[in-house]
Amino acid sequence: MTKRALVVWGGMELHTPERGAHVVRDLLEEDGFAVTVTSNYDALGADDVSNNDLVVPVITDGTLAPEKMNNLIAAIRAGTGLAGYHMGLATTFRASVPFRYAASVYWVQHPGNIMTYKVDVSRPDHPIMAGIESFEHTSEQYYLNYDPAVEVLATTTFSGEHHPWRKDVVMPVVFTTTHDKGRVFYSSLGHTADELEIPQIRTILKRGLLWASR
């Protein structure tokens, strides 16, 4: 049977969410998915959202009515995958405690804004990271609050140049986890859609999307 995915975009234009959503669509369609792309947040809480094998919010902040959030969380708990990159998951639906629990990550800062930093592959044995070596990347280096239950696949280390009190902190960049029966994937890479064309970032995202799908 053909797998189905729902990609919902919105929020801050500086993240180029519509373009990013279509990159996600293209990656999934390459693997035979039937993909719906929309800017209607309510699609994430539709009565039939559980029919999707994967949901991908490419959303900065936003809100979802409690009854619709209940539908989304129930779908994830029943096995619908949840995946996101950069602002997606880490900033999506900031005020929703149920979503924060499922997403397992929350953005809090990017000291220095756009800068060059290193992404260290910590799990080269994991299928998402196979064949990818540590690399330098120029973008926002995300400082996150995250669930200790996550399985970290890649990290970055803060130099302390901009926030000395966080010198040598090692932070996840790519991780997986589960929320009941649903698989969850997150990568902090991809401030704009242009960054999703970088080979390592594109490969990590595509593999993560496929890993998270039911």
Side-chain angles (χ1 to χ4, degrees):
M1 292 181 62
T2 300
K3 286 194 171 186
R4 295 180 56 186
L6 172 66
V7 185
V8 183
W9 63 271
M12 295 175 67
E13 281 300 318
L14 65 85
H15 285 140
T16 62
E18 184 175 10
R19 286 176 53 212
H22 285 91
V23 171
V24 171
R25 178 204 61 194
D26 292 347
L27 292 173
L28 290 169
E29 286 184 344
E30 288 172 2
D31 220 68
F33 277 70
V35 184
T36 299
V37 178
T38 180
S39 61
N40 180 7
Y41 294 2
D42 285 348
L44 287 165
D47 290 340
D48 63 351
V49 68
S50 62
N51 291 341
N52 292 286
D53 297 284
L54 179 69
V55 293
V56 186
V58 186
I59 298 170
T60 307
D61 205 7
T63 59
L64 197 62
E67 65 275 11
K68 294 187 180 297
M69 182 60 73
N70 289 342
N71 288 343
L72 174 59
I73 299 303
I76 296 166
R77 291 193 59 184
T80 295
L82 174 67
Y85 69 88
H86 200 64
M87 69 292 187
L89 300 198
T91 72
T92 306
F93 304 141
R94 295 175 196 259
S96 171
V97 172
F99 188 82
R100 299 266 49 86
Y101 186 31
S104 304
V105 64
Y106 190 79
W107 171 83
V108 291
Q109 189 53 264
H110 42 70
N113 297 315
I114 303 296
M115 56 183 289
T116 298
Y117 63 94
K118 189 177 181 185
V119 177
D120 293 303
V121 177
S122 52
R123 285 290 308 278
D125 59 316
H126 195 284
I128 292 175
M129 307 305 298
I132 297 175
E133 298 181 352
S134 298
F135 60 96
E136 288 194 337
H137 182 49
T138 300
S139 186
E140 294 173 338
Q141 185 183 32
Y142 261 16
Y143 198 99
L144 305 166
N145 289 341
Y146 63 97
D147 192 324
V150 304
E151 181 177 5
V152 179
L153 308 185
T155 65
T156 188
T157 302
F158 283 80
S159 68
E161 177 184 358
H162 301 283
H163 290 177
W165 60 94
R166 291 295 182 260
K167 179 177 171 60
D168 296 329
V169 169
V170 178
M171 184 63 56
V173 172
V174 181
F175 70 72
T176 62
T177 189
T178 58
H179 193 65
D180 202 348
K181 295 181 176 65
R183 287 183 166 196
V184 180
F185 163 79
Y186 176 74
S187 167
S188 67
L189 305 167
H191 174 60
T192 67
D194 290 339
E195 293 181 18
L196 302 179
E197 301 304 327
I198 296 170
Q200 300 98 318
I201 294 174
R202 189 179 182 90
T203 298
I204 290 168
L205 178 58
K206 180 172 182 176
R207 290 175 178 175
L209 295 168
L210 297 180
W211 180 91
S213 68
R214 178 167 46 202

